[in-house]
Amino acid sequence: MSGFRDVCSSSSGSVNVMIGVSPAEERDDNPAAALSSEDSSSPEETVRGAELDLALGLSIGLNSRRNHHHSKVRSFSSSLASSSSSLTRESGTKRSADSSAAASKGPVAIGWPPLRTYRINSLVNNQAKSLATEDDIQKDTTKNGVKKDDVGFIKSSMLVKVTMDGVIIGRKIDLNALDSYEALAKTLEQMFFHTPSSVTTRCKGSELLDGSSEHIITYQDKDGDWMLVGDVPWQMFLGSVKRLRIMRRAGETGGGK
Amino acid sequence: MNYFPDEVIEHIFDFIASHKDRNSISLVSKSWHKIERCSRKKVFIGNCYAINPERLIERFPSLRSLTLKGKPHFADFNLVPHEWGGFVHPWIDALAKARVGLEELRLKRMVVSDESLELLSRSFASFKSLVLVSCEGFTTDGLASIAANCRHLRELDLQENEIEDHRGQWLNCFPETSTALTSLNFSCLKGETNLAALERLVARSPNLESLKVNRAVPLDALTRLMSCAPQLVDLGVGSYENEPDQESFVKLMDAIKKCTELRSLSGFSEVAPLCLTAFYPICENLTSLNLSYAAEIQGNHLVRFIQFCKRLQRLWILDSIGDKGLEVVASTCKELQELRVFPSDLHDEEDNDTAVTEIGLVAISAGCPKLHSILYFCKQMTNAALITVAKNCPNFIRFRLCILEPNKPDHTTSQSLDEGFGAIVQACKGLRRLSVSGLLTDKVFLYIGMYAEQLEMLSIAFAGDTDKGMLYVLNGCKKMRKLEIRDSPFGNAALLADVDKYRTMRSLWMSSCEVTLGGCKRLARNAPWLNVEIINENENNDLMERNEEDEREKVDRLYLYRTVVGARKDAPPCVTIL
């Protein structure tokens, strides 16, 4: 049966590439395909959340046997935390740029899925809005229309950058879509801490605020000083905040911007 | 031998518009080279570091229109540091000094400053058109200079730029005498808009065909705008998250009905479904529809709208439309040429049955015979579906499939997707652009190398097993211009196998692959006509024990490109040019 080997050995002119050959045949002829089919038929795929990790761990693990320098890749492909399938690379000591991130064991967003920041922000805005202001919207809008003075008007957004130690890519958050520190903490929790893997530090939004978590939220104000979030009334905070940073409490390795 | 006077030849050349053709003409003979270069009005530079402005001006003294691209494509996904480069200022400066009669400037992924815009606005008396796509570094102050000083401005088109909004009055800066505007797009501006200034501007621009406003333009303002610009062909609307009241709705619909020339609709970054229905009267005229930012509209509303859009040629939509919705598109939009389906929800919702799958893709391919470009984000795919798509649509020019989860196999057979993509490249003989995803082995690259003869741009992520994969592509795809690879196990052997290949390509990007510093250094030595850039961004530079001299160290990001002007002088510290 024509197969991978045939394809390799014939010249391009007369080859009949085996498109659409049944899986059984393919598996026999094609070691690569056999490997990939083995990869995915893991019996441990029970819990949906863990499924991604395990399946990928297996498939990449097998790959990495053949390429022993190739880093393992684990995918946290769900949450808004990375707004993308974020990947952690556990690299050897020779890798440079990613080592710090890997060592910190935080989620690392590396531009996947391939969507422009502009577009991701528009989704983030929508998510943040629906998270924080669902109650408000229900109060403000009726089924048939809106308050007279509000026809078509929309609050302009107040986007501030949020960085987290150990995460290379910063995110943006619309503070005008939130109404309190609790909402902020919850949103940040969703953005940075929600992953299916339990390797990342589990963290509740409230913990971020009250100091019981390993991370704290800080912000840079108009004067350039870094302050702890939560000390001043929310509206005052909105007036002076320029950017946010989620810092790790202990053993923090400097280098923030 | 030329039997015609130069003027006649020049006149003939005027009919030849495509850059490729004009480049070919200039190679025919010395005399044709001269005539061509002296008469050339439009120049396209795909990589701003491949050449410098001085040489450009020397060769094309009659330049009127310049297109420049800066950062590599993966900069869109935050893989390139902001300070990497792509500054337009030296270009504008040089063109100004040489008194080039610049009329059009189109920039993509470049860094533009307010100073640059100011200089631009003051240096070219006939300047007509500014198009900025995915640029950054400027504010609305820069826009104010353009508005104020470019007396003959016809087009100001800002697409997805990062613009610092000083909430100033840049719209006010268009002089009252400015009536030549044909296109105004400021949809990416985040701040509030001076509505009165905008309305006055639109009212005095009878030639305005394209207007794209930002989120801050409310419904009643939009109604007034449309009322005084019924000649609009292309409209981008703002955000309307609240349902309009009856009166506003009726007024809006009346205004829309008068826009009988309207062919293209976009914007809608938040829109209550009722607002969408106001556009029903002109649906059947639409040829282009971009609802890809309308994250809050549910699939059924989208579908109801699209059902009326029988003439649609271009559709950008969110995956909330679902497979069922795509089936409706397939049966309604028989003229469809380009489709983009973006993800609406980057959570992994367990019960997200409404996202699109291979079923939607197959339906589209079956129903839309003119389809030639597709960008499709989905959570799952099968070989069988891709094979069917290939059979249904052999005319693809661009085929970009992004399965959200890296390395995901065919979900029915657990096989890799090699066969599916293989079918695509084999059937689509005119394929110029391809993005692959899902679980892929070296085999898919064997197919690509064998069949994708017209392929110019290939994007690879999390694919392949060995260097052979990349080699198949480099050896096979004769027309390859841009190759971008991330997180794939290709290393030095592939990189170095055929150095001369890079003469025929614009650029190569490799990130998180297996190439080492030593390999890159060797390449740079063997190819002095290449800029081999290593990008290494580290927050904790001082704490890293990076041994710079260790040649076995893997390179995190490699970007190489051919150039005739050597290493650039404006590289930031995180970029090393070998």
Side-chain angles (χ1 to χ4, degrees):
Chain A
M1 194 60 218
S2 72
F4 182 59
R5 275 183 236 109
D6 280 4
V7 166
C8 278
S9 55
S10 328
S11 64
S12 54
S14 54
V15 163
N16 184 8
V17 178
M18 49 157 206
I19 310 283
V21 169
S22 71
E25 291 170 85
E26 187 170 319
R27 199 179 306 177
D28 290 338
D29 292 343
N30 186 347
L35 193 61
S36 43
S37 63
E38 268 176 56
D39 292 346
S40 336
S41 55
S42 153
E44 291 118 87
E45 286 162 80
T46 45
V47 181
R48 175 92 197 250
E51 170 184 310
L52 294 167
D53 268 355
L54 287 172
L56 281 167
L58 278 173
S59 62
I60 303 304
L62 283 168
N63 274 339
S64 69
R65 259 191 249 135
R66 288 186 285 143
N67 294 312
H68 50 93
H69 289 303
H70 187 55
S71 315
K72 257 201 238 167
V73 170
R74 254 182 295 125
S75 165
F76 309 123
S77 72
S78 52
S79 61
L80 193 61
S82 49
S83 186
S84 49
S85 294
S86 58
L87 303 159
T88 286
R89 313 200 76 187
E90 284 171 350
S91 46
T93 49
K94 301 252 166 144
R95 300 298 307 235
S96 49
D98 288 322
S99 303
S100 60
S104 69
K105 288 191 189 168
V108 177
I110 331 178
W112 187 266
L115 289 170
R116 279 193 184 156
T117 318
Y118 188 83
R119 190 170 284 285
I120 292 179
N121 282 344
S122 74
L123 291 178
V124 167
N125 273 344
N126 283 315
Q127 305 277 8
K129 279 206 168 82
S130 55
L131 273 176
T133 58
E134 257 162 6
D135 292 333
D136 289 345
I137 287 177
Q138 272 158 21
K139 270 187 263 162
D140 286 349
T141 62
T142 66
K143 287 275 190 295
N144 299 326
V146 307
K147 293 187 290 192
K148 265 197 192 148
D149 51 342
D150 264 359
V151 172
F153 179 70
I154 193 153
K155 263 196 295 193
S156 53
S157 58
M158 183 188 174
L159 287 169
V160 298
K161 192 162 182 177
V162 189
T163 49
M164 172 164 157
D165 290 350
V167 178
I168 290 179
I169 307 296
R171 302 291 312 283
K172 279 196 180 152
I173 186 174
D174 180 3
L175 289 179
N176 265 346
L178 307 171
D179 60 357
S180 65
Y181 287 117
E182 286 67 37
L184 171 65
K186 194 145 196 284
T187 308
L188 291 179
E189 176 206 344
Q190 298 259 347
M191 267 188 186
F192 287 95
F193 292 95
H194 267 195
T195 70
S197 160
S198 53
V199 168
T200 44
T201 337
R202 274 266 181 256
C203 179
K204 276 217 185 118
S206 49
E207 286 172 16
L208 281 171
L209 284 177
D210 66 19
S212 54
S213 142
E214 203 186 71
H215 290 80
I216 53 173
I217 316 177
T218 62
Y219 72 99
Q220 189 178 37
D221 68 6
K222 281 200 279 238
D223 302 323
D225 301 321
W226 285 93
M227 323 274 281
L228 196 62
V229 152
D231 288 338
V232 301
W234 176 254
Q235 286 301 327
M236 195 183 295
F237 166 70
L238 285 188
S240 59
V241 61
K242 287 278 156 271
R243 44 191 289 191
L244 293 164
R245 178 177 161 198
I246 304 176
M247 283 174 46
R248 198 171 301 110
R249 214 177 250 297
E252 199 241 320
T253 56
K257 287 215 186 112
Chain B
M1 288 293 300
N2 296 320
Y3 299 111
F4 297 114
D6 286 359
E7 297 78 36
V8 175
I9 299 185
E10 191 179 312
H11 183 66
I12 297 174
F13 286 178
D14 276 348
F15 291 99
I16 310 210
S18 112
H19 297 289
K20 277 191 188 148
D21 289 342
R22 289 204 71 124
N23 291 344
S24 306
I25 290 178
S26 66
L27 295 173
V28 166
S29 69
K30 272 207 181 129
S31 133
W32 278 33
H33 183 115
K34 179 150 187 260
I35 299 172
E36 197 283 317
R37 75 173 186 86
C38 290
S39 63
R40 177 96 80 129
K41 305 258 182 336
K42 281 191 180 180
V43 175
F44 168 85
I45 296 179
N47 174 6
C48 65
Y49 290 119
I51 187 141
N52 63 27
E54 289 74 29
R55 286 179 65 156
L56 169 73
I57 297 166
E58 199 187 307
R59 179 163 170 194
F60 300 114
S62 305
L63 188 62
R64 297 273 172 276
S65 162
L66 178 61
T67 303
L68 277 173
K69 291 188 178 181
K71 296 191 177 125
H73 176 227
F74 276 179
D76 282 351
F77 318 129
N78 285 325
L79 288 175
V80 176
H82 279 285
E83 65 274 22
W84 175 85
F87 307 103
V88 77
H89 198 84
W91 293 85
I92 298 179
D93 197 42
L95 289 165
K97 288 201 171 97
R99 312 222 179 170
V100 169
L102 192 69
E103 293 177 13
E104 277 181 9
L105 187 60
R106 288 167 154 65
L107 304 178
K108 189 166 185 181
R109 283 185 217 109
M110 294 203 65
V111 176
V112 181
S113 64
D114 286 343
E115 290 70 38
S116 306
L117 291 175
E118 163 95 19
L119 183 61
L120 176 68
S121 73
R122 293 198 185 281
S123 310
F124 307 107
S126 307
F127 193 74
K128 295 195 177 70
S129 163
L130 181 63
V131 179
L132 301 178
V133 181
S134 289
C135 296
E136 58 180 347
F138 59 107
T139 77
T140 45
D141 295 346
L143 297 180
S145 337
I146 296 288
N149 304 329
C150 299
R151 302 240 184 87
H152 302 280
L153 193 70
R154 293 207 202 130
E155 182 177 17
L156 180 59
D157 187 357
L158 307 169
Q159 299 177 28
E160 298 188 352
N161 302 291
E162 283 288 320
I163 307 176
E164 202 177 299
D165 199 329
H166 287 172
R167 292 170 166 83
Q169 301 299 325
W170 70 279
L171 276 172
N172 268 337
C173 296
F174 282 99
E176 290 302 317
T177 49
S178 148
T179 57
L181 268 185
T182 59
S183 166
L184 179 63
N185 173 6
F186 59 95
S187 51
C188 58
L189 280 180
K190 298 175 194 137
E192 279 151 31
T193 296
N194 184 331
L195 296 174
L198 176 61
E199 289 175 44
R200 281 198 310 271
L201 180 61
V202 170
R204 66 174 185 273
S205 304
N207 298 320
L208 192 67
E209 290 187 342
S210 170
L211 176 65
K212 293 181 182 165
V213 302
N214 73 345
R215 301 163 58 128
V217 174
L219 209 63
D220 53 332
L222 179 71
T223 305
R224 287 195 296 276
L225 288 169
M226 294 182 78
S227 301
C228 57
Q231 76 281 4
L232 281 176
V233 173
D234 178 14
L235 175 68
V237 313
S239 274
Y240 312 106
E241 77 174 4
N242 297 318
E243 300 279 349
D245 61 38
Q246 184 68 5
E247 199 190 324
S248 310
F249 181 79
V250 168
K251 278 196 194 148
L252 177 63
M253 208 168 188
D254 281 342
I256 289 171
K257 274 189 205 152
K258 298 211 178 82
C259 295
T260 54
E261 304 302 307
L262 204 54
R263 296 289 173 271
S264 167
L265 205 52
S266 61
F268 295 109
S269 52
E270 277 148 40
V271 55
L274 192 60
C275 297
L276 197 55
T277 65
F279 288 90
Y280 280 173
I282 48 95
C283 269
E284 54 179 35
N285 298 334
L286 289 180
T287 56
S288 168
L289 179 62
N290 181 354
L291 290 173
S292 64
Y293 289 101
E296 309 217 334
I297 303 188
Q298 286 169 343
N300 51 347
H301 293 293
L302 291 175
V303 171
R304 235 176 280 148
F305 190 81
I306 293 175
Q307 264 171 344
F308 294 104
C309 304
K310 296 192 181 358
R311 297 219 188 112
L312 223 47
Q313 293 171 17
R314 195 166 93 132
L315 175 63
W316 290 25
I317 198 101
L318 288 171
D319 65 3
S320 45
I321 193 175
D323 286 333
K324 291 276 178 269
L326 287 180
E327 282 166 15
V328 173
V329 172
S331 59
T332 310
C333 308
K334 294 301 182 188
E335 302 294 314
L336 197 66
Q337 297 174 22
E338 178 187 333
L339 174 68
R340 294 196 190 190
V341 182
F342 293 97
S344 60
D345 181 12
L346 295 166
H347 280 287
D348 192 18
E349 293 293 336
E350 313 247 338
D351 52 357
N352 194 359
D353 289 331
T354 57
V356 299
T357 69
E358 71 275 12
I359 295 172
L361 184 61
V362 170
I364 291 286
S365 72
C368 304
K370 300 193 181 176
L371 192 66
H372 60 61
S373 294
I374 190 157
L375 169 60
Y376 199 79
F377 283 82
C378 58
K379 294 194 164 123
Q380 61 186 47
M381 187 50 55
T382 66
N383 283 312
L386 287 173
I387 291 166
T388 307
V389 167
K391 224 184 307 187
N392 291 341
C393 277
N395 296 326
F396 275 123
I397 300 175
R398 293 171 208 96
F399 188 85
R400 296 156 71 189
L401 180 67
C402 181
I403 301 166
L404 289 167
E405 188 188 317
N407 291 297
K408 186 154 186 183
D410 177 325
H411 72 94
T412 58
T413 65
S414 300
Q415 306 270 311
S416 72
L417 290 170
D418 298 338
E419 296 309 309
F421 280 105
I424 295 284
V425 293
Q426 192 180 23
C428 303
K429 306 217 186 296
L431 195 69
R432 296 205 300 252
R433 183 167 179 184
L434 177 67
S435 300
V436 296
S437 58
L439 183 66
L440 296 166
T441 72
D442 284 346
K443 194 146 158 235
V444 72
F445 301 114
L446 173 72
Y447 292 148
I448 292 173
M450 276 175 75
Y451 293 109
E453 289 174 9
Q454 303 299 323
L455 196 64
E456 296 176 4
M457 183 169 177
L458 177 61
S459 307
I460 301 169
F462 308 104
D465 306 313
T466 72
D467 283 333
K468 280 210 208 119
M470 187 169 160
L471 282 169
Y472 290 140
V473 170
L474 289 174
N475 293 335
C477 298
K478 299 295 176 212
K479 299 220 175 158
M480 184 62 64
R481 289 188 301 115
K482 288 184 281 185
L483 182 56
E484 46 187 31
I485 307 172
R486 61 167 292 177
D487 294 277
S488 301
F490 306 135
N492 295 339
L495 181 70
L496 294 164
D498 179 8
V499 164
D500 281 332
K501 173 71 177 174
Y502 304 126
R503 282 189 199 275
T504 65
M505 288 169 57
R506 183 190 298 174
S507 64
L508 168 67
W509 168 281
M510 292 180 77
S511 58
S512 304
C513 297
E514 300 289 308
V515 291
T516 70
L517 187 58
C520 294
K521 282 186 176 170
R522 208 165 355 134
L523 176 61
R525 273 198 302 274
N526 293 343
W529 37 267
L530 276 184
N531 275 354
V532 179
E533 297 194 4
I534 312 291
I535 301 169
N536 227 326
E537 215 176 356
N538 258 314
E539 279 207 32
N540 301 335
N541 258 324
D542 44 328
L543 297 173
M544 294 313 301
E545 283 165 22
R546 241 180 35 200
N547 185 352
E548 296 233 44
E549 296 312 306
D550 192 340
E551 310 241 313
R552 284 165 299 166
E553 179 176 319
K554 286 197 196 127
V555 161
D556 194 53
R557 281 168 282 182
L558 160 68
Y559 180 53
L560 61 85
Y561 50 90
R562 63 184 177 188
T563 176
V564 293
V565 291
R568 59 189 175 107
K569 311 270 187 312
D570 59 5
C574 61
V575 173
T576 314
I577 306 183
L578 297 175

